[in-house]
Amino acid sequence: LPGAPRGGPPSRLQTATNESQTEAFLRTMGVEDEGRLDSRRERERALADLQATIDAAYAAAFDGVCVAGTSVPDAGDAGVTGGPEAVQSVAVRCEAAFQALSKETQSALIDAIKTNEKQRWMAFEAGVPRLKLMRTRMEEQLARSEAARSTIESIGSKVHSEYDDIYDGKFGNSDVLNTSSDVGESKKPESKKLAKTSIVRIVLLTGFESFNSDLYRKVSVDLSRSYPDLVDLVVFNDQDIASRPADVEQALASADVFFSSLIFDFDQVEWLNARIESIPYKFIFESALELMSSTRVGEFEMKPSPEGKKAGPPPAVKKVLGLFGSGKEEDKLVGYLSFLKIGPKLLKFLPGRKVKDLRNWLTVYSYWNEGGEENVASMISYILRECFELPSLPPEPKDLVETPATGCLHPAYDGFFESPEAYVRWYEREGPLASRWTECPKAAVLLYRKHVITGQPYIMDLISCLEKEGVIPVPIFINGVEAHTIVRDQLTSDTELAEERTRDPFGAAMADMGIAGLGGGSGKVRIDSVINTIGFPLVGGPSGTMEGGRQIDISKSILSSKNVPYMVAAPLLIQDMGSWVEKGIAGLQSVVLYSLPELDGAIDSVPLGALVGESIYLVPERVARLAGRVKSWVSLRRKQASEKKIGIILYGFPPGVGATGTAALLNVPESLENVFASLKEAGYDVGDFPVGDRDAGERIVEYLKKMSREELTCRGINHVRKVLGEDVASSLGATVAGTDMVAERLKEYLTFDEAWGPTEWGPMPFLPAPDLLVTKMEAAWGDLGKYRSGLSTTTSGEAVVAGLQFGNVFIGVQPLLGVEGDPMRLLFERDLTPHPQYAAFYKWLQHDFRADAVVHCGTHGTSEWLPGSPLGNTGLSWSDIMLSSIPNVYVYTANNPSESIIAKRRGYGTVVSHNVPPYGRSGLYKQLLELKALLMEYREGNMPAFGEAAGVVDHAGDQGTADGASPGASPGASSGAPGRTNGSDDLQQPILDLIDSIGLQNDCGLFDGSSQRGFASYASDVYTYLLEVENRLYSEGLHVLGAPPKPEQMTKYLSAYFDGKLGADVIEEVVRGAAQANGSTGASPGGGTSAGTPAAPAPSTEDALRDEAIEIRNLLEANTNELTSMVSALNGEYILPEAG
């Protein structure tokens, strides 16, 4: 260590403050720019000069400007002349003086100079924002330099404070040698090397980086040619574990080194762990924790100790690790990457063999992480030299060839941009879409750095394809763990800037003067959406995979502040093109691309390509779909609400049973009234919809039912208008909308571009013909020109699309899924297609009505269940074909996440969950009550036999039953047991007769008529069954979208939830909103408890339950957020996710 005495460990009293030693240490660590010790002073002088220039600009612009009377605080260099109501002359001699003024005065000054001193203002706005940007960059550079210097200097003292622990033997005190005062030349113990007289065998197995397999094999071939008697490098990918298990196992059995990366599949991890235990050296990077814990390099291990403590770096190194990063929990992995970069240099100054082994591990990681053929070859050389005693040595490994940890790139630019800000400045001048900068949406595209530095062709293809579709990409490559910091610190949005404007009016003026693509001089780049092509969670990336969801609150906070659509669209890295097209995305790949990002609120996941062999290939047609959806979402953000066209889709499933306008657990007619009221309030054009008319929803549903009648549709849309048009206009203020779509027009909508070929479809297993969809539909339903099905088809063969239109809002019924009498047919026959009228309905919405978005109203529709890839839509998936690029806001019941996730993934649904109606106890009614009374009477006379039969205890006595009857009522009061004697044998036959008349033998079985003991057991089973039925919870009524529960509904919610644990009087207080967290105990006025409820629990318990009830009540009253979220989605905003 710097300042350590030669010949022994440093004392606690010694510090690393010796100037020459410190400066030399800093030079070694590369802290000072170009090794100049005065660079800090130069930066400080330059910064001071720049500030003087800015101050002069403020004085020239604002000094002496006259404004109307305002409140001005005393502010040093800022002075005001004139009375409080007079015109005042404000003295502003520097930037600080301006900032000291009140916000009111600042705004007045800006307005005055804009109005009266245009030339002065133009000079100010032309220069000062750029000067401030320069100052910000210089301050950041100085801060980084100082932070690095401070960190390195503090490391010395931190390590000194740890030396007592080190020499207490916590990690090998017997191996610690004397340190040298010469910086960088401390004499450290050599790691124990493994003596080898034969070839060193290395097994390298790739996971999510199988694209690098060819590079590793090339290095293997070069090594075997150059050093045939020294090393044998065998390369596998994770798929070989399933396809060639014997080969992999044989190689592992004789391996000296095991190297693996990006392995997450649990089965593969288990398989490998069972076979690599005895391998001396194991380098495992960025994989499942269960596999990484097998890492072993000499004495450095990550294996947990028997006491359960995590293994890993020595104590002093752990202290050093804590010095990196921002200090925020979510940024720890980013700090870890910073440590990895300088760790090998830093660890030169720490003693101990275990530290030496850790340094070897870090160095190997650095070579691997930087990638490239030269680095990989040097990595193997480094392993051979540092870990093995060999008869001959390979050459010294070359210095690490480094690329930036993060940055931007573009096919038209040679090299990398250091930041999104630098990229945008270049793009506005030279980018392919620079002339369309204002009109084109900007999408931040997060790319995997490993793919960039290894030159994967799909990266540049993706950028070019997005530009071809009219989306300006901001391509940012990252390691994965920094995704959230990039989004948080380097990107901004109109929403975030608007919030900043409200907080800082001067900042607003500065923002208006900033370069178009930048966030008002902040150095952040304005974007309209975020596309993550890596998958995994936003916070943690691949390294956070095993703890998916742990940091979703951080992700939601970051993405909410940007308030732009967040999409995950990536090529498949462990699945080939053929299996995706044939079977859909499966296994771990689905977790990476769907499950984990969805926890962060990702929508519209689109697979962009897959493996062909071990190479990643892009499907440009899928990129076009992604770009189309990005443009549609951004259009929702940019368009005025009054100009947007919205399609609301109801359901009529199953057919023929009056189900039109229904949805699971949702009152659709009343919900529609609330939807239209919310749209009108938000500025949407809803025509003459009768807001406030509580029967409007029912009338809408009734007219839609009439429109679906075959006697109307068989004669076409004009006949529908003729019959219903006047009634619809007078009753609802609506018009009949729709079309008769002829077969040729439908074929046109379903035909791909004639010029499409491999350039658009990529390396698909087969090249789709332009009319493939039409061919499939005709194979299933016959010649479209001759199609006559009765499914909303005219006598001449046109497909009828009919609905109601209110201003710019269309409302119609989703066509039936299959055919009459077999409505579920499409769910089970994969080769079928939707029938022509179904396709016509969605294509009319897309091409003729030109909907900006659709709203599927309730649980659930059928578009997400159409034939196609089970997961991961291809261009031939009918769900994708029907929805195309239209944003789909899907209102779905909150208690059905398993099916809503299908709507989200296959139907591109942005799910807005709605509450469920209150739960009630089913109770008993009529003959069931009579039967229970008979059984209770029988039980009283045969208690021993009855109780022994099933040990039944009636807990239902406190619960109400149907028709107000009480299950605890006296049997004699029952109409079914007048004058009977308790326990008499003559009850047996009436009980059996009643069971037979009710039909309970189907649920409870038949009594075989054996012994009296046998009947007691049978009666006990029937009684238990009745108790289960009586206490069963069920949804009572239907939920109205956006409506908080009424008091009686709230009472039912809470009563069902607490199930007798909280008194009815307390629940009533909570419902009224009168209960407080530390209020009354809930006792009845007379001192007892309310009738029919158990005795009140201890006050502390009841207080906790009351608090919980209040929390639930408040959450239920937030039902209005259902409509708020729906409107927010229609505005193209980010919708908060919830796990469920």
Side-chain angles (χ1 to χ4, degrees):
L1 282 173
R6 191 182 302 271
S11 164
R12 280 183 179 274
L13 299 177
Q14 292 173 311
T15 61
T17 57
N18 180 286
E19 182 63 22
S20 62
Q21 296 286 353
T22 300
E23 296 294 358
F25 189 60
L26 292 171
R27 281 201 307 276
T28 301
M29 298 306 298
V31 173
E32 294 294 342
D33 184 27
E34 300 177 356
R36 293 175 300 170
L37 301 182
D38 60 346
S39 61
R40 175 177 54 175
R41 293 185 287 274
E42 290 178 4
R43 291 193 187 102
E44 289 172 343
R45 282 196 297 270
L47 188 60
D49 292 343
L50 182 59
Q51 183 61 54
T53 304
I54 293 174
D55 288 339
Y58 269 87
F62 294 107
D63 193 34
V65 175
C66 296
V67 296
T70 54
S71 172
V72 184
D74 183 20
D77 289 326
V80 180
T81 62
E85 302 300 327
V87 173
Q88 302 174 347
S89 176
V90 182
V92 177
R93 300 182 182 89
C94 62
E95 180 187 16
F98 184 89
Q99 297 294 348
L101 298 171
S102 67
K103 298 295 184 183
E104 180 185 11
T105 304
Q106 289 181 11
S107 297
L109 281 171
I110 292 172
D111 291 341
I113 194 174
K114 279 185 176 180
T115 303
N116 304 318
E117 301 284 349
K118 291 184 178 179
Q119 293 299 321
R120 190 191 298 190
W121 177 250
M122 289 174 63
F124 181 84
E125 70 175 356
V128 172
R130 280 179 165 74
L131 291 174
K132 286 191 170 187
L133 284 175
M134 291 172 60
R135 181 180 66 185
T136 298
R137 287 196 295 269
M138 291 177 67
E139 288 173 340
E140 289 174 349
Q141 290 171 355
L142 185 60
R144 282 196 297 267
S145 176
E146 288 304 298
R149 172 186 286 270
S150 176
T151 296
I152 298 303
E153 288 178 346
S154 68
I155 286 171
S157 59
K158 290 283 187 181
V159 173
H160 278 295
S161 69
E162 292 299 316
Y163 263 19
D164 283 351
D165 288 340
I166 294 172
Y167 285 96
D168 284 341
K170 286 204 172 180
F171 60 93
N173 60 345
S174 61
D175 296 318
V176 177
L177 301 181
N178 296 337
T179 57
S180 169
S181 60
D182 296 331
V183 175
E185 297 180 1
S186 298
K187 295 189 178 183
K188 301 168 291 296
E190 289 298 319
S191 183
K192 290 182 180 178
K193 297 182 180 181
L194 185 65
K196 287 286 293 184
T197 57
S198 58
I199 293 177
V200 175
R201 302 189 184 278
I202 302 176
V203 174
L204 190 152
L205 190 142
T206 64
F208 270 68
E209 64 157 343
S210 59
F211 56 86
N212 264 337
S213 295
D214 282 344
L215 181 150
Y216 293 136
R217 290 192 187 97
K218 186 176 188 305
V219 171
S220 174
V221 171
D222 291 344
L223 287 172
S224 63
R225 289 173 178 169
S226 302
Y227 313 105
D229 300 324
L230 191 63
V231 62
D232 177 28
L233 174 62
V234 183
V235 180
F236 298 101
N237 64 49
D238 58 343
Q239 300 303 308
D240 292 329
I241 295 176
S243 61
R244 302 166 53 200
D247 294 341
V248 180
E249 188 165 12
Q250 182 179 358
L252 292 174
S254 59
D256 300 300
V257 179
F258 174 67
F259 185 100
S260 184
S261 59
L262 298 169
I263 301 287
F264 299 102
D265 185 270
F266 181 78
D267 292 335
Q268 293 176 351
V269 169
E270 291 286 294
W271 191 92
L272 287 169
N273 273 335
R275 291 161 176 80
I276 64 174
E277 177 62 31
S278 61
I279 299 177
Y281 288 91
K282 289 172 282 193
F283 296 89
I284 303 167
F285 300 132
E286 296 185 14
S287 297
L289 297 179
E290 292 84 351
L291 186 60
M292 287 186 67
S293 65
S294 297
T295 296
R296 181 167 64 213
V297 181
E299 292 191 2
F300 171 69
E301 293 183 333
M302 291 187 179
K303 188 175 182 180
S305 66
E307 296 79 19
K309 296 180 180 179
K310 292 182 178 178
V317 176
K318 290 181 181 179
K319 290 287 185 182
V320 172
L321 271 172
L323 300 173
F324 292 86
S326 67
K328 297 180 180 179
E329 173 66 24
E330 64 269 23
D331 292 353
K332 280 187 175 180
L333 285 172
V334 181
Y336 171 70
L337 280 183
S338 301
F339 171 73
L340 291 178
K341 191 171 183 65
I342 71 167
K345 295 178 182 179
L346 177 61
L347 294 182
K348 289 180 181 179
F349 302 93
L350 296 180
R353 187 170 65 234
K354 188 173 182 180
V355 175
K356 175 71 163 76
D357 292 329
L358 171 59
R359 180 172 173 244
N360 288 342
W361 180 83
L362 285 172
T363 303
V364 172
Y365 175 86
S366 298
Y367 279 121
W368 170 79
N369 189 47
E370 291 297 338
E373 185 177 340
E374 186 173 321
N375 281 332
V376 171
S378 294
M379 177 183 77
I380 301 300
S381 293
Y382 185 88
I383 291 173
L384 294 175
R385 294 180 66 93
E386 295 296 324
C387 299
F388 296 94
E389 292 282 0
L390 299 170
S392 60
L393 290 177
E396 285 277 353
K398 296 181 180 179
D399 290 340
L400 189 66
V401 179
E402 296 185 80
T403 53
T406 66
C408 297
L409 75 162
H410 193 276
Y413 183 82
D414 184 17
F416 301 120
F417 301 92
E418 67 177 6
S419 67
E421 176 189 359
Y423 171 86
V424 166
R425 292 182 180 281
W426 169 82
Y427 201 104
E428 287 183 313
R429 298 190 311 270
E430 304 178 37
L433 297 180
S435 62
R436 299 171 56 193
W437 179 266
T438 303
E439 68 177 273
C440 292
K442 291 89 182 169
V445 185
L446 303 182
L447 302 168
Y448 187 32
R449 176 177 174 273
K450 199 82 170 178
H451 292 175
V452 171
I453 63 179
T454 56
Q456 297 301 310
Y458 90 88
I459 294 287
M460 296 304 188
D461 292 343
L462 173 60
I463 296 170
S464 299
C465 285
L466 288 172
E467 289 176 326
K468 181 181 178 182
E469 298 298 325
V471 174
I472 295 177
V474 181
I476 309 166
F477 60 83
I478 58 176
N479 286 289
V481 301
E482 320 96 319
H484 68 287
T485 63
I486 295 295
V487 176
R488 182 188 66 202
D489 302 333
Q490 299 192 37
L491 304 178
T492 189
S493 65
D494 290 335
T495 298
E496 193 171 47
L497 290 173
E499 292 178 355
E500 292 175 359
R501 286 188 178 98
T502 61
R503 293 192 299 267
D504 181 7
F506 182 70
M510 294 298 99
D512 293 337
M513 292 185 291
I515 295 178
L518 302 179
S522 66
K524 294 183 178 182
V525 170
R526 297 192 212 194
I527 45 87
D528 298 303
S529 67
V530 177
I531 302 171
N532 187 343
T533 70
I534 303 172
F536 297 101
L538 182 70
V539 178
S543 298
T545 299
M546 302 308 290
E547 298 180 274
R550 187 171 67 91
Q551 299 280 10
I552 57 174
D553 287 340
I554 303 298
S555 299
K556 290 193 289 188
S557 174
I558 294 171
L559 294 170
S560 293
S561 68
K562 310 304 172 184
N563 198 26
V564 298
Y566 174 57
M567 303 177 178
V568 172
L572 309 183
L573 302 182
I574 55 173
Q575 192 166 347
D576 63 78
M577 195 80 69
S579 67
W580 165 36
V581 173
E582 286 296 316
K583 301 176 182 178
I585 298 174
L588 182 61
Q589 186 72 72
S590 68
V591 175
V592 170
L593 189 56
Y594 288 94
S595 303
L596 293 172
E598 285 166 350
L599 294 173
D600 295 330
I603 61 172
D604 291 7
S605 294
V606 179
L608 300 180
L611 294 175
V612 177
E614 292 176 335
S615 300
I616 306 169
Y617 280 88
L618 204 66
V619 177
E621 179 271 336
R622 289 290 82 195
V623 182
R625 172 64 75 232
L626 170 66
R629 299 200 66 80
V630 168
K631 289 190 291 184
S632 295
W633 280 110
V634 174
S635 176
L636 287 176
R637 297 180 61 82
R638 294 181 174 181
K639 264 191 179 182
Q640 294 293 321
S642 59
E643 298 175 359
K644 298 177 193 174
K645 288 189 171 184
I646 306 298
I648 299 177
I649 300 174
L650 308 185
Y651 317 126
F653 186 84
V657 293
T660 299
T662 62
L665 306 179
L666 186 67
N667 186 325
V668 174
E670 289 190 32
S671 296
L672 283 175
E673 295 160 11
N674 289 350
V675 167
F676 274 96
S678 296
L679 290 176
K680 184 173 183 178
E681 183 180 359
Y684 287 78
D685 180 2
V686 298
D688 296 325
F689 182 87
V691 174
D693 183 344
R694 303 314 299 173
D695 293 326
E698 292 288 356
R699 296 201 301 278
I700 288 175
V701 171
E702 191 58 36
Y703 280 119
L704 292 175
K705 286 181 181 177
K706 291 179 180 178
M707 288 182 181
S708 64
R709 293 175 182 170
E710 292 301 326
E711 60 266 26
L712 290 181
T713 57
C714 70
R715 299 174 66 178
I717 190 66
N718 287 331
H719 183 67
V720 176
R721 289 193 180 100
K722 180 179 178 181
V723 174
L724 298 177
E726 290 186 7
D727 287 348
V728 166
S730 62
S731 175
L732 291 169
T735 59
V736 175
T739 190
D740 296 332
M741 187 171 290
V742 298
E744 290 306 314
R745 184 150 57 110
L746 180 58
K747 288 181 180 180
E748 179 184 340
Y749 290 154
L750 294 177
T751 300
F752 300 115
D753 192 315
E754 292 282 349
W756 275 21
T759 301
E760 289 72 27
W761 287 108
M764 299 279 280
F766 63 94
L767 185 62
D771 62 349
L772 177 63
L773 300 178
V774 175
T775 301
K776 286 189 172 185
M777 185 172 284
E778 291 191 328
W781 303 97
D783 188 336
L784 297 187
K786 301 176 181 178
Y787 178 70
R788 309 286 189 277
S789 71
L791 290 172
S792 296
T793 307
T794 68
T795 54
S796 55
E798 294 93 352
V800 179
V801 178
L804 300 175
Q805 187 166 344
F806 299 86
N808 282 339
V809 180
F810 170 84
I811 182 168
V813 178
Q814 188 180 61
L816 302 181
L817 183 64
V819 295
E820 193 168 353
D822 190 8
M824 306 294 287
R825 186 178 174 191
L826 280 182
L827 296 183
F828 306 109
E829 296 193 31
R830 184 178 176 183
D831 292 334
L832 282 181
T833 75
H835 60 77
Q837 195 260 340
Y838 194 108
F841 178 84
Y842 278 95
K843 290 304 171 184
W844 179 83
L845 281 172
Q846 178 186 352
H847 294 285
D848 297 352
F849 180 69
R850 296 184 179 276
D852 291 289
V854 295
V855 178
H856 283 84
C857 194
T859 307
H860 58 71
T862 56
S863 58
E864 64 268 27
W865 301 95
L866 297 176
S869 174
L871 179 62
N873 286 335
T874 70
L876 305 178
S877 297
W878 285 98
S879 298
D880 181 275
I881 295 160
M882 293 297 99
L883 272 304
S884 188
S885 295
I886 307 176
N888 177 17
V889 180
Y890 213 131
V891 178
Y892 219 98
T893 179
N895 69 344
N896 192 355
S898 59
E899 290 188 319
S900 68
I901 211 70
I902 296 174
K904 182 179 181 67
R905 295 173 178 179
R906 298 193 80 239
Y908 297 123
T910 297
V911 175
V912 175
S913 299
H914 70 76
N915 210 341
V916 297
Y919 286 102
R921 300 284 178 185
S922 62
L924 300 177
Y925 61 92
K926 296 181 181 179
Q927 290 175 305
L928 292 177
L929 276 174
E930 183 180 346
L931 176 61
K932 185 184 178 187
L934 287 174
L935 289 168
M936 290 175 68
E937 185 177 354
Y938 178 83
R939 182 179 68 167
E940 291 177 10
N942 298 271
M943 182 59 72
F946 197 92
E948 291 169 6
V952 175
V953 179
D954 185 356
H955 293 293
D958 295 326
Q959 304 296 333
T961 58
D963 301 329
S966 170
S970 170
S974 169
S975 61
R980 295 192 187 277
T981 303
N982 287 350
S984 61
D985 292 342
D986 62 352
L987 285 175
Q988 177 172 330
Q989 194 56 46
I991 289 173
L992 292 174
D993 290 342
L994 195 52
I995 289 173
D996 182 64
S997 65
I998 297 172
L1000 284 187
Q1001 62 269 32
N1002 294 326
D1003 296 316
C1004 301
L1006 294 170
F1007 175 56
D1008 59 9
S1010 58
S1011 65
Q1012 178 67 22
R1013 174 66 179 80
F1015 180 76
S1017 177
Y1018 177 71
S1020 177
D1021 291 343
V1022 175
Y1023 186 74
T1024 301
Y1025 170 80
L1026 291 179
L1027 292 181
E1028 291 175 357
V1029 171
E1030 184 177 18
N1031 288 285
R1032 188 169 295 159
L1033 290 173
Y1034 72 101
S1035 294
E1036 186 173 339
L1038 296 172
H1039 176 69
V1040 177
L1041 196 66
K1046 297 175 181 177
E1048 60 271 20
Q1049 291 177 314
M1050 186 76 77
T1051 299
K1052 289 178 180 178
Y1053 270 117
L1054 296 176
S1055 297
Y1057 179 84
F1058 289 102
D1059 194 19
K1061 297 175 184 176
L1062 193 60
D1065 52 345
V1066 181
I1067 289 177
E1068 185 178 352
E1069 288 180 7
V1070 171
V1071 171
R1072 290 201 314 266
Q1076 301 298 323
N1078 297 307
S1080 65
T1081 61
S1084 298
T1089 58
S1090 57
T1093 60
S1100 59
T1101 303
E1102 185 173 274
D1103 287 345
L1105 292 175
R1106 183 190 291 107
D1107 289 346
E1108 186 178 6
I1110 292 172
E1111 181 183 6
I1112 294 171
R1113 179 203 67 196
N1114 294 340
L1115 289 171
L1116 291 171
E1117 287 176 346
N1119 281 355
T1120 52
N1121 290 342
E1122 296 166 352
L1123 291 171
T1124 303
S1125 293
M1126 184 199 72
V1127 173
S1128 296
L1130 291 175
N1131 290 338
E1133 300 179 34
Y1134 169 77
I1135 303 301
L1136 280 170
E1138 285 298 335

